Amino acid sequence: MPTVHKTGQALFLGLELATDQLRATIVDESLDLVGVESVEFDTELPEYQTHGGIFTNPGDAYTTPIEMWIKGLDLILEKLSRNHDLTKIKSIGGAAQHALVWWKSTTVPSFSSLDSSILLHKHFPAHLFSLPNVPTASDTSSHTHALAIETLLGGPDHMASRVGTCASSSLVAAQLLRVRETWPQEVWARTGRVQLASAFMSSLIAGKWMGMGEAEACTTGMWVHGANVNALNPGQPASSGFWDEGVLDIVGGSREEGRRVRGWLGDVDVSGGGRRAGNVSRYLVERYGFEPDTIVSPFTSDSLSSYLSLLPSANDAVLSFGPMDTLMTPAQHYIPTRLYHLIPHPAQDAGEKRKYIAVITSRNADIPRAYVRDKYTKSWSAFDRLVAIVPPGGSIGLDDKLFSFFYLQSDIYPLSHLQNTAVRFETGVRVPEFRDLRANPRCLIESQILAFRVKWARMAATGVLGAPRKTTASSSPAPQSLSTTNTSSLGLPFDPYDPAPLPSRVLATGSAANFPSVVNVVGDIFNAPVFVPASQVDGAQIEPYRNAPPRGFPGRAALGAAYVARWVWARDRDGMGVGLVGFEEEGRRVLTKRWVASNGVAPRTNVNGAISGNSGSGTTTPGPLGSSSYGLGGTALSVGPSRSGLGLSPVFVEEEEDEELERERREREQQERAASLGGSSSFVGGNPFGAFGTGVIGGELGFGSRARTQTASTTESVGSLTSPVLSAPSTAFTTPDSNMLSAGSFSGTNNNGLGTTLSSPTPLTPVVALATADGEAQIGLAKVADSDVDAFMTYAAIVPEFCRLETMLIKGIV
């Protein structure tokens, strides 16, 4: 049994109910990492037979069992009590995935009188819930119901101005309507209460019914924020917010049922999230040893808690890669439009000036990336290399750029009618496939990031973010923006060449941020340095493909919840004495104080975690609970000329023009030989790049004079990509490969009928830290990519054509 960690100072616990795991993170009063625990649903609760914590049903339905959550909570509390001194926990925070819990109207055991000798999952078995299995955030089966609500409210603009958001599959309103219209009537009839997963988890911890916070209420599609003057009658004073009766009536189907739904939802906490929501339950005190006065702080969604863990500044953008990509940034004003979601900050004092978070989402995220990987490369390492070597826009010339749009899942307006669609353009003309198949990974990533860049610019044009935000100095000369006249001639409401409205930093999380090529594209398109949490950089050296952290590494949402728990405790202890300081400011102050006291030692990135021989952000230092990896902060390893490091042994390759011409000649000859042999362009068992040549991974492939960092493994693996040999698909990715093959070699046949031995692909070499300033290192961030003005200008020239083609798709012209 591990040694129980004893310490005299206060500790703070953050819980995270993710889709695939239940995670716990403990920090001390200095916000340094003390403990990490997790429960893997698939492996530790195999009786539910989930895959990634969910059931995948026919169609677009993705559900998860509630009883599994409760049993997971039992397990993680047992681990915490066994490995940590829970009497030192002063406050508990939490976050949960976006899901809705349906309680039956029958008698439910009283939270306050539970028998502590019985596990929670036996107190709350599956039959207490109207829906034992509930939709997750990945579920899109409610999409048509969301569109129906949007239509009845007058369209996306009217809906957004009324409830702060437009139609989305994850809206609670849409999920409620779907259950009423498509499920057996008894499901609706026997329901007595609905809770968001965050409020559900909070209720189990506090031992009483807990309502949702205003931040999550604003994502339901039924809540009117108090500052929304569009929804107020003339002369009516601003309120604290209310449930929209019109939307409730649509969901319920009648005024009477609408009022019933209002009762299910309960009251909303509009205090701002800066005060205690309650104390820990008597059950947890008696069974696990928590102190009775342990504070329970307000719980929130996992995405918002992850955002809080990064302590973003006013000019930052937080880009989270995952099943649904999300771009979030602080907003100064409440100006609701269909261009974005607007959410009240989940951790603010009721007396301070109201703060908001603007959110842009894309459902076409991990799924298209996995689709392109499976179809064109068969491994993430090859995917990463192709994104790195193909020039911006997929070609060298300025007038023959390639564009691709992958809408494999239904999304929000104006893409709500596009689904199961993959469209490609060459020289402005729609084509079924690119002539050079190697361009597909690069064009997909560019399309995803350019879409965010365009949405950001349109959002900034509304004034919701305040004044232009680009304030940091750059080592490169500033790009020259266009005049108003020239901008209008492009048909855009913004100047694509003007970096001022763009963020000063991009803080990236999620498995895609482990790819050096992806973070480079992000930095180029936004003209901003890209930072990744140091804990993720170190974790990526062990498991680069998963969104979930490796063993011993904290989940971002759990860490954010622990930060909130510490903030609420300090305010409660000091009688709201820190109320004049915002959550992010207080977090940065505490971490800066810790940095100074430790003589510049960066925050711990893991506790008892597996240690890779190639630590991404620094060295390995023993901690109080065993070996822990620390970032090097301001002395971090610099790899390359401020571009993302692809490893610790970079190789710079530049090719002369005559060498480029010679390679093109050889490729033409190879194409002619392949054609004479009747070779197929299929990459299954044949050339993975079809009949358009093999290219050279180590070279620039037409990048001009700008060199990119490469690793020895990249250079050595040229043969695996340029020969007619198909690499075996990996089996350890966040999204499984289409053809799951066992590790090792096996025999196959290429398109010429020749026997070929296939081997496992070269593992991805993930990002490592570049030189990182103390200001970022002390809050646990590591720079992984820098901005490049030349690349930014290249992409700025692409933006007008990208917008034109996207508009044609939206209007159904092509």
Side-chain angles (χ1 to χ4, degrees):
M1 179 182 297
T3 302
V4 173
H5 180 60
K6 300 278 187 179
T7 179
Q9 63 177 330
L11 300 179
F12 307 93
L13 172 64
L15 297 173
E16 175 189 357
L17 173 60
T19 304
D20 56 346
Q21 292 180 338
L22 185 57
R23 305 174 188 130
T25 296
I26 300 176
V27 300
D28 62 20
E29 197 170 344
S30 298
L31 298 182
D32 210 4
L33 190 64
V34 172
V36 175
E37 303 291 347
S38 65
V39 173
E40 186 92 23
F41 291 139
D42 293 356
T43 58
E44 296 186 61
L45 296 173
E47 61 269 28
Y48 294 99
Q49 299 181 355
T50 58
H51 181 74
I54 62 174
F55 301 126
T56 304
N57 301 320
D60 299 318
Y62 297 83
T63 60
T64 185
I66 297 174
E67 188 182 53
M68 183 180 70
W69 300 350
I70 307 174
K71 190 175 288 189
L73 182 59
D74 285 329
L75 285 177
I76 205 160
L77 289 171
E78 290 289 346
K79 291 184 179 183
L80 287 168
S81 65
R82 185 169 61 247
N83 300 332
H84 305 276
D85 183 5
L86 299 185
T87 63
K88 303 301 181 183
I89 301 293
K90 300 301 180 183
S91 182
I92 303 174
Q97 59 177 292
H98 183 82
L100 198 61
V101 177
W102 295 68
W103 291 91
K104 285 184 179 179
S105 56
T106 56
T107 303
V108 175
S110 173
F111 285 112
S112 61
S113 60
L114 299 179
D115 185 349
S116 61
S117 66
I118 300 176
L119 292 170
L120 283 173
H121 75 272
K122 295 183 178 178
H123 281 296
F124 301 101
H127 67 76
L128 292 179
F129 305 100
S130 303
L131 290 180
N133 303 328
V134 296
T136 67
S138 300
D139 181 84
T140 58
S141 60
S142 301
H143 182 65
T144 56
H145 300 86
L147 293 177
I149 294 173
E150 183 180 81
T151 301
L152 291 171
L153 292 178
D157 292 297
H158 287 85
M159 182 175 179
S161 66
R162 185 165 171 172
V163 294
T165 185
C166 55
S168 169
S169 302
S170 58
L171 289 181
V172 171
Q175 294 181 9
L176 289 167
L177 180 59
R178 178 175 181 268
V179 169
R180 182 176 67 81
E181 292 187 345
T182 64
W183 282 76
Q185 184 59 35
E186 58 266 22
V187 173
W188 184 270
R190 68 193 180 196
T191 299
R193 181 190 296 265
V194 293
Q195 281 186 302
L196 288 177
S198 58
F200 172 73
M201 292 293 291
S202 180
S203 299
L204 295 177
I205 297 298
K208 64 177 184 179
W209 292 109
M210 303 288 278
M212 71 181 79
E214 188 177 23
E216 287 192 283
C218 285
T219 66
T220 63
M222 297 178 287
W223 179 259
V224 178
H225 180 53
N228 189 356
V229 296
N230 298 318
L232 300 177
N233 297 323
Q236 180 182 352
S239 67
S240 58
F242 53 89
W243 293 110
D244 190 305
E245 292 185 357
V247 182
L248 293 175
D249 293 348
I250 294 172
V251 170
S254 67
R255 175 57 57 89
E256 180 181 358
E257 286 298 305
R259 290 174 178 171
R260 185 165 171 239
V261 172
R262 166 67 182 83
W264 292 352
L265 295 168
D267 295 330
V268 174
D269 181 5
V270 296
S271 66
R275 61 173 179 81
R276 73 163 67 200
N279 288 343
V280 73
S281 69
R282 180 185 59 82
Y283 176 90
L284 266 63
V285 172
E286 295 178 357
R287 184 174 180 89
Y288 299 109
F290 288 95
E291 291 295 324
D293 60 350
T294 302
I295 295 172
V296 177
S297 63
F299 284 32
T300 189
S301 71
D302 54 358
S303 60
L304 290 176
S305 189
S306 297
Y307 170 90
L308 295 177
S309 74
L310 298 170
L311 304 173
S313 300
N315 295 334
D316 290 340
V318 176
L319 178 56
S320 299
F321 293 103
M324 181 168 64
D325 291 345
T326 305
L327 185 67
M328 296 185 281
T329 187
Q332 298 183 17
H333 310 291
Y334 190 85
I335 307 175
T337 76
R338 60 177 171 80
L339 299 175
Y340 48 83
H341 306 289
L342 203 54
I343 301 172
H345 194 288
Q348 59 183 320
D349 182 68
E352 66 179 311
K353 183 182 181 297
R354 299 292 283 171
K355 297 185 295 185
Y356 302 94
I357 301 173
V359 183
I360 302 171
T361 62
S362 172
R363 285 190 172 275
N364 291 284
D366 272 350
I367 289 180
R369 288 191 286 267
Y371 171 80
V372 169
R373 174 207 63 197
D374 291 339
K375 188 172 183 180
Y376 299 102
T377 68
K378 299 300 179 184
S379 75
W380 282 125
S381 56
F383 182 99
D384 177 68
R385 291 196 293 274
L386 285 180
V387 176
I389 67 169
V390 172
S395 66
I396 302 172
L398 296 178
D399 299 325
D400 56 353
K401 295 300 183 184
L402 311 180
F403 297 88
S404 65
F405 299 86
F406 284 80
Y407 303 123
L408 304 186
Q409 288 190 303
S410 55
D411 216 322
I412 64 172
Y413 182 89
L415 307 173
S416 53
H417 63 289
L418 296 174
Q419 189 174 2
N420 298 322
T421 300
V423 182
R424 300 169 182 83
F425 293 91
E426 286 194 11
T427 62
V429 178
R430 181 171 179 172
V431 294
E433 181 57 88
F434 293 138
R435 287 173 293 175
D436 191 339
L437 302 182
R438 293 170 296 183
N440 278 282
R442 174 87 185 198
C443 289
L444 168 66
I445 295 299
E446 288 180 342
S447 175
Q448 292 178 326
I449 306 304
L450 278 171
F452 274 128
R453 187 253 185 270
V454 170
K455 291 177 181 178
W456 177 286
R458 288 172 172 159
M459 174 177 66
T462 67
V464 69
L465 305 181
R469 301 143 63 89
K470 183 76 80 171
T471 58
T472 57
S474 173
S475 58
S476 303
Q480 298 296 315
S481 61
L482 297 177
S483 65
T484 304
T485 303
N486 289 335
T487 301
S488 301
S489 67
L490 297 176
L492 301 174
F494 60 91
D495 182 354
Y497 294 90
D498 182 9
L502 298 177
S504 297
R505 300 185 304 184
V506 176
L507 313 181
T509 64
S511 62
N514 296 335
F515 290 48
S517 62
V518 173
V519 294
N520 276 325
V521 172
V522 172
D524 291 345
I525 289 178
F526 279 94
N527 192 41
V530 180
F531 294 84
V532 168
S535 60
Q536 179 173 326
V537 174
D538 284 350
Q541 314 308 313
I542 304 165
E543 294 182 4
Y545 307 113
R546 294 188 60 191
N547 285 314
R551 179 183 61 83
F553 288 78
R556 297 312 305 178
L559 189 62
Y563 284 6
V564 171
R566 195 267 182 212
W567 181 66
V568 170
W569 169 80
R571 291 166 50 79
D572 188 82
R573 178 197 59 183
D574 299 335
M576 305 300 176
V578 296
L580 297 178
V581 180
F583 169 79
E584 287 86 356
E585 291 79 8
E586 174 66 8
R588 288 192 289 267
R589 183 194 69 80
V590 172
L591 287 170
T592 300
K593 182 179 177 181
R594 192 211 64 82
W595 172 273
V596 173
S598 64
N599 293 320
V601 176
R604 186 175 301 134
T605 62
N606 73 82
V607 175
N608 288 336
I611 300 300
S612 169
N614 176 19
S615 180
S617 66
T619 60
T620 300
T621 305
L625 289 179
S627 298
S628 302
S629 185
Y630 288 76
L632 285 178
T635 61
L637 176 67
S638 178
V639 180
S642 295
R643 303 299 296 168
S644 176
L646 291 176
L648 295 180
S649 56
V651 179
F652 295 87
V653 182
E654 294 188 13
E655 297 195 16
E656 300 295 336
E657 182 177 2
D658 55 346
E659 293 176 335
E660 174 72 18
L661 294 174
E662 175 63 20
R663 183 173 69 248
E664 291 179 356
R665 183 188 63 79
R666 291 196 302 269
E667 289 179 354
R668 286 195 300 270
E669 291 176 354
Q670 184 176 5
Q671 293 167 21
E672 292 171 357
R673 288 196 300 271
S676 65
L677 293 173
S680 169
S681 62
S682 171
F683 47 81
V684 178
N687 190 329
F689 304 124
F692 295 96
T694 58
V696 175
I697 297 298
E700 287 185 339
L701 201 65
F703 270 103
S705 62
R706 196 154 71 98
R708 305 288 285 218
T709 56
Q710 303 289 341
T711 62
S713 61
T714 299
T715 307
E716 292 165 2
S717 62
V718 172
S720 66
L721 281 175
T722 59
S723 63
V725 177
L726 175 64
S727 297
S730 171
T731 61
F733 304 123
T734 301
T735 305
D737 286 309
S738 59
N739 300 311
M740 302 297 287
L741 301 175
S742 59
S745 301
F746 59 98
S747 298
T749 303
N750 66 11
N751 59 348
N752 294 325
L754 301 176
T756 301
T757 299
L758 306 181
S759 59
S760 299
T762 304
L764 170 72
T765 304
V767 294
V768 296
L770 304 177
T772 304
D774 288 354
E776 284 84 17
Q778 64 194 19
I779 62 174
L781 297 176
K783 181 188 285 190
V784 295
D786 214 336
S787 59
D788 185 282
V789 172
D790 292 336
F792 170 73
M793 296 297 282
T794 299
Y795 282 113
I798 292 174
V799 166
E801 179 67 1
F802 176 87
C803 293
R804 185 184 73 86
L805 296 175
E806 185 181 50
T807 301
M808 292 172 61
L809 282 173
I810 292 171
K811 294 182 176 180
I813 299 176
V814 293

